[in-house]
Amino acid sequence: MRRIYESTVLRELLRPLGQIAIFVTATGAIFSVAMLLLALLFRGSAADRLLQENNHINIFAFTLTNLPQVLVDGVTLGFVYAAIALGYTMVYGVLEFINFAHSEIFAIGAFVGVEVLIALEGAGQLSSIPIWLAYVFLALAVIAGMAAAGGMAMLVEATAYRPLRNAPRLVPLISAIGVSFFLQDAIRFTESITTGQFHRIIPTFGNFDQRVSLVKLPLAGVVTDINIQIKSIVVIAAAVLMLVGLNYLVNATKVGKAIRAVAQDRPTASLMGINVNLIISLTFLVGGALGGAAGVLYALKFTRIDPFVGFFPGIKAFTAAVLGGIGNLTGALLGGIVLGMLESFAGAYLSAFTMGAAGAEYKDILAFAILILVLIFRPSGLLGEQVGQKA
Amino acid sequence: MIAKLKTTLGSLGEWINRGKVPYILSITGLVLSTVWVYFSPRSLPAFLFFLAMAGMIYYFKIKPVAKLILGLVVALIVVPIIGARNIFYLEVLFQIGVFAALALGLNIVVGFTGLLNLGYVAFYAVGAYLWAFFGSKQIFLLHEIPGTAPQGTPFLLPGDMFYLFIMLGIIVAAVTGLLLGLPVLRVRGDYLAIVTLGFGEVIRQLANNLDKPLNFTNGPQGITPIQKPTLPGGVMDAFNVILTPIVGQPVTEGQFYNILFYFIALLVAALVIFVTLRLDDSKIGRAWTAIREDEMAAVAMGIPAVKLKLAAFAVGASFAGAMGVVMAASRTFVSPESFTFMQSIGVLTMVILGGIGSIPGVVLGAAVVVVLNLQVLQEVSLYLSQLRQSDSVIPIINFAWKNLSNQLDPAKYQRLLFGLILILMMIYRPAGLIPAARRKRELKAAAVPDADNGTQEAADE
C-alpha cells in the first residue's frame, strides 16, 4: 500500500518533468529543422545576397550560428508564458471564463517583487553580498510577488466576479476588462504617489547578468560560443519548479482533486461536500501566485517594468493557453513553449529573411495571428479534447 | 425609506409632466442655462447645466414637434453662439458627436447582436487612415524616410474631396468589417472578444510598422498635414456680420473650422441615430435581437444568422469609418497612438454606461464619458496643480500639497475611470443608465435562478 502511494507521488513529480523535457526538445527540434530547411530554400535569394554583402555570411550559416541562442531565448520566454498561461487555464477550467485581469495580476507580482528588491537595495543589502544571499533575496522577492498577486487575484474574484457568477456570459468578461483597466491605473497611482514615478527598473545584484559558456561548437565553419545568461537559467529553473509543484498540487493532493471536481461539475461537486466558493478562491490564489512569480521572473529577465507591462505577456499567455487547449494544464505548458519559440524565432530571423521589410516588431502580431488561426481551425487547441464552446 | 423616496420622486415626475408645466420648465431651463453659459463662458457648472437641460428635452412629455424645434434651436443657433465665445465647448460637443456615432456603431454589434467586439477602434482607424493617406501628401512620399518630405510636395486631392471620402470611409470600413467577420464569426462568445481585440491590435501595429518597405503610414510619427475641406465662400463673413454683436468678438478662420466640424459631426451623428432607430425597428433589428437571445433557436426559425452577423459587423464598422474620416480631417493629423485598445474600451464603456442596446442610453453614455474625460478630469487636474503651487496642507494627515507627485494627474487616469464604470455598472446596473426595453425584461428573467443554480446557491450557503 505504502509503496503504491509513494509511487504515485513519484509519478506526479516525474511525469511533468518528462513532459517538459519532451515538449522542449520536440518543439526545439521541429522549429530548428523547419528553420534550417527554410534557410536552405532561401539560398541564392535576394535576402541571401544582401546578407552576404553586409555580413559576409550566407543565410544558412547565419541561421545555424544563431540557432542555439534563439532556442535558449525561446525556452526562457516559453516558460514565462507557460507560468502565466496556467493562471488563465486554471480559472477557465473552473469557471469557464476568461480572467482578463490576469495580466494585471502578473504586473502586480512584478511590481511587488521589484519594490522588495529596490527596498533591499535602498537598505544597502544588495551590494557585495555572497552569491547564495543574492538567490535568497531573489527568492524572497518572488515569494512576496506571489503572495501579493495571489491575494489580489482572490480579492478581485470575491469583489468583481463572484456577484456575477450566474449572470449572462459576457457580463463577467466585461467586469474583468474593467478590473484590468482599474488595476493598471491603481498600480500607476500607488507607484506615483509613493515613489513619484511609475517606471521601475530591477536593481542589478548577484551574478544574474553574467553568462556561462555551455559549449563551443564549430558551426558552419565558425566556432560559436554558446552561452546562456544566468538569469535565463534562474527563470527556467524557477518555472520548472513551479510547473512541477502545480502539477503535484492538482493531480496528487486532495485539494487538487476538489479543484478538478469543481471544474468538471460544479453543482455535483458541491453536493459531494466540496466548498465550491473556497475552491474557486483557491484556484484564483494559485493561478494568481503563479502569475505573480512569472511577473518577478519577467522583471528579472527584461529589467524594466511599468503598470502596462502585463498587457502583451497576458495576451500571449492567453494565446498559449488557447493554443494548448484551454482548461488543460499540460496544454498551457506546451502552448507556452511553442509560442515562446515562435516569438524568439520570429524576432531573430524575420528581419533577415524579409530583407528588413518586416522585422522583429511583427512578433506581437504573430501571436494574434496564431490565436485567430487556432480559434478558427482548431478551437480545442493542440491537446484539448473537444470542450465545446458554449456561447 | 428607498421606496418612500421612489414614490416621492415618482409623484414629482408626474407633476413635472402634467399639462403645460413641461413646456414652461424646458424653455425656462434652456433660456436660463444659455444665459448662464453666455455670461460665464469658462464656468464648468454652467456648461454642465446647459448640457443637462438640452438632454432633458428628450424626457419632458411635450409634443414631438416641439421637441424637434427646441432641439434644432439649441443645436443650430444656441450652440454656435456660445461655442464661438468659448471654442472649447465646440470641441467637447464635436467629440460627443463623434463618440456617440462610434458608440452607436458598437452598440449594433454588442447591444443588438450580442457579439462583444473589443477591437472596434480598428474600423475608426481604417476610416481615419483612408483620408489621412489620400488627403495628405503621403502618396508622393512612399519612398521617403518617415519624417522627411521634400519641399513643395503637392497634396494629392483637393480638400473638398473630404465629403466624398466620408462616403468612401463608410464603404471601406464596412468591407473591412465583412473581411474581419467572415473568418472570425465562427468563434463565439468570449473567444470572439479576444479575437477582435487581436484584430484591433493588428491594425494598430500595421499602422505603426507600415513605414517600410513602402512608407504608407509614416510609422509612429503619424501622417500630417491632412487637408480640411475648404470653407464655403462668404459663410464666415456672413456669420461674422450677423453674430459679432452677439458673440462679442469676430470669429477667426481656425475657430470657424471648429463650428464647421461641429456641424459635420452633428449631421453624421444625427444620420447614424436615424439609421440605428430605423434598423432597431426593422426586420433586421428583430433578427439581430433573436440571434442575441438564442442563436440556435433563431437559426431554427429560418434566420440566416451568419449573414445577419456579418451585416451587424459591417453596419457597426461603417459608422466608425465615417467618423474616422471626419476625425482625421478635423485634427489634420493621425497616428497609431489614437487607436489603442483603450479607445475601444472607452467606446465600450459608453455603451455599457448608457445601456446596452438602448439608443438614447448610448448617446447619453457617450456624452457623459466625453464630458468626464475632457472636462471634469481636466478640471480636477487643474485644481490639483493649483493646490500643488499653493502652500496649503491636507489638514488631518498633515501632508503638504507641494509634495504631491507630478505624475498624479487625474487627466491621465482615464483607465481608472473606465474600469470603475465597467465594474460598477456590471455589478449594480447591468442594463445601463437608460435600459433598453427588451434588455430590461431579459435581465429580469435571468435573475430568477433555474433549478441548477438553485441547488448550487443552497449548497454554497
Side-chain angles (χ1 to χ4, degrees), chain B residues 376-394:
Chain B
V376 177
L377 283 183
Q378 301 282 3
E379 198 85 348
V380 178
S381 285
L382 206 68
Y383 182 66
L384 267 186
S385 71
Q386 279 169 359
L387 276 178
R388 210 173 277 141
Q389 279 155 14
S390 70
D391 286 330
S392 51
V393 167
I394 303 176

Side-chain angles (χ1 to χ4, degrees), chain A residues 72-378:
Chain A
V72 168
D73 284 347
V75 172
T76 318
L77 207 55
F79 276 118
V80 172
Y81 289 157
I84 311 171
L86 285 169
Y88 282 107
T89 224
M90 282 185 74
V91 167
Y92 196 91
V94 172
L95 286 181
E96 287 206 350
F97 139 78
I98 300 170
N99 183 11
F100 205 87
H102 192 60
S103 48
E104 275 57 51
I105 301 293
F106 163 87
I108 285 175
F111 266 92
V112 170
V114 171
E115 286 298 342
V116 165
L117 288 176
I118 289 178
L120 281 171
E121 189 191 35
Q125 297 292 326
L126 287 190
S127 53
S128 61
I129 48 170
I131 299 291
W132 64 268
L133 200 58
Y135 283 88
V136 170
F137 282 152
L138 182 67
L140 203 69
V142 171
I143 289 168
M146 285 175 89
M152 182 53 83
M154 268 169 80
L155 186 70
V156 164
E157 193 271 333
T159 51
Y161 303 157
R162 193 172 298 173
L164 303 172
R165 205 171 282 162
N166 292 322
R169 231 168 126 78
L170 289 182
V171 170
L173 178 63
I174 293 173
S175 177
I177 295 171
V179 172
S180 161
F181 269 65
F182 177 80
L183 285 181
Q184 284 180 1
D185 261 1
I187 298 173
R188 181 170 160 174
F189 179 81
T190 328
E191 285 292 324
S192 295
I193 207 158
T194 52
T195 68
Q197 57 181 1
F198 58 86
H199 295 106
R200 300 303 263 172
I201 291 171
I202 196 166
T204 28
F205 68 109
N207 60 348
F208 301 120
D209 283 323
Q210 289 167 18
R211 293 176 165 273
V212 283
S213 175
L214 291 180
V215 59
K216 285 193 198 320
L217 278 183
L219 285 178
V222 192
V223 178
T224 318
D225 181 18
I226 299 165
N227 53 27
I228 178 167
Q229 258 184 318
I230 291 189
K231 57 184 173 189
S232 295
I233 302 178
V234 171
V235 170
I236 293 174
V240 169
L241 212 64
M242 288 194 303
L243 297 176
V244 173
L246 180 76
N247 190 70
Y248 182 76
L249 176 80
V250 172
N251 288 329
T253 63
K254 213 168 167 185
V255 173
K257 203 180 240 176
I259 291 178
R260 280 179 289 145
V262 172
Q264 208 165 48
D265 188 340
R266 222 188 304 160
T268 313
S270 80
L271 288 177
M272 297 295 129
I274 294 171
N275 186 341
V276 171
N277 276 337
L278 187 74
I279 291 299
I280 291 177
S281 275
L282 199 75
T283 311
F284 272 87
L285 174 73
V286 174
L290 281 176
V296 184
L297 297 177
Y298 184 90
L300 180 71
K301 175 111 175 79
F302 295 96
T303 58
R304 185 187 149 94
I305 52 172
D306 62 53
F308 318 114
V309 72
F311 182 70
F312 273 113
I315 286 291
K316 284 171 192 163
F318 177 75
T319 306
V322 172
L323 182 64
I326 199 157
N328 180 327
L329 295 185
T330 322
L333 177 60
L334 176 63
I337 293 171
V338 171
L339 203 71
M341 286 283 186
L342 202 68
E343 194 176 321
S344 169
F345 272 81
Y349 294 125
L350 206 54
S351 179
F353 275 70
T354 56
M355 295 184 285
E361 64 270 15
Y362 279 98
K363 65 182 197 233
D364 289 339
I365 292 190
L366 204 69
F368 289 119
I370 302 279
L371 177 66
I372 294 173
L373 291 178
V374 171
L375 282 178
I376 290 169
F377 293 109
R378 197 175 156 78

Side-chain angles (χ1 to χ4, degrees), chain B residues 150-196:
Chain B
Q151 285 284 312
T153 317
F155 281 106
L156 175 67
L157 296 172
D160 279 337
M161 292 294 273
F162 163 75
Y163 298 106
L164 177 72
F165 268 77
I166 296 184
M167 311 289 160
L168 282 181
I170 291 176
I171 296 168
V172 171
V175 171
T176 319
L178 285 180
L179 287 180
L180 166 70
L182 272 175
V184 149
L185 284 174
R186 289 177 52 167
V187 300
R188 289 196 206 168
D190 34 15
Y191 279 138
L192 180 74
I194 304 287
V195 171
T196 47

